[in-house]
Amino acid sequence: MTLVGGFVAQRTGDRRHLVLGLAAGLMLGVVSFDLLPEAIEQAPEKLHGVPEALLMFAAGFLLIHVVERAVAIHRGHEGEYAAHSHTHGHRHGPGHRHREQGVGLAAASALVLHSVMDGFAIGAAFQAGTTVGAVVAIAVVAHDFADGFNTYTLTRLYGNNRRRALALLAADAAAPVVGAAITLLFTIPDHLLGLYLGFFAGFLMYLATSDILPEAHSPHPSRTTLACTLLGVGAMWLVVGLT
């Protein structure tokens, strides 16, 4: 699915928003109907009246929010510097171009590392049970389309050549397998597993609501995109109910 996302990124069509809307719905469904209930069951202990799994859910959501805001502020300062340089007639030399390429490579590499954690989440979820593992795998697969799309797009956006973009795309595709294989080496205690599932649920919730849904609706604020999101949520409800 990661490779498919990268392939689509090379041939961006007018229906990408529908796929992203469906992916966001699948992620919202898996968080609401499976990850959070399982996390609370595995880690029901409360801290100041709130289940620890829900505290981890909030922590996962807020952590990625803080990281993304820090990156956005950094990019904002870079934009101000670029505008200042343009106003004063400064030309960007090879050094600036290399730095820009480095930003693209760093962003794509971060997505690869994130994909390793996706694979780790699948392996950890299968330790909690086959049902949990299956629905988490579905959510990760749905999300990996966007990962592949963004990995290729970010690499090329910052001036890197096609060969580098394809190499990072291949690494992003292999990363979840590596992450899942890591979990074969040890068994995670139930309590820690619940905390991790709660944290990962917050992580997925942020990606779905703050990244994928806005990206799906910004170019095409259509009812069809919303229908795809509702379809994704309904599909996960059906999957969880049947299993």
Side-chain angles (χ1 to χ4, degrees), residues 25-26 29-30 33 135 230-243:
L26 291 171
V30 76
F33 307 143
V135 293
L230 295 175
L231 177 63
V233 173
M236 287 312 306
W237 187 11
L238 180 64
V239 168
V240 173
L242 289 175
T243 51

Side-chain angles (χ1 to χ4, degrees), residues 98-123:
H98 290 319
R99 286 194 299 271
E100 190 175 63
Q101 290 174 350
V103 170
L105 292 176
S109 298
L111 286 173
V112 174
L113 179 60
H114 165 238
S115 292
V116 173
M117 296 305 298
D118 280 350
F120 185 85
I122 294 176

Side-chain angles (χ1 to χ4, degrees), residues 26-43 53-54 57 121-122 124-126 128 131-133 135-137 139-140 193-205 236 240:
L26 291 171
M27 292 168 66
L28 289 171
V30 76
V31 168
S32 303
F33 307 143
D34 195 78
L35 280 184
L36 280 181
E38 184 66 26
I40 294 173
E41 182 178 339
Q42 297 284 350
L54 291 182
F57 170 79
I122 294 176
F126 269 106
T131 300
V132 184
V135 293
V136 168
V140 169
L193 182 59
L195 296 179
Y196 177 77
L197 290 177
F199 182 87
F200 185 66
F203 190 82
L204 277 185
M205 181 65 80
M236 287 312 306
V240 173

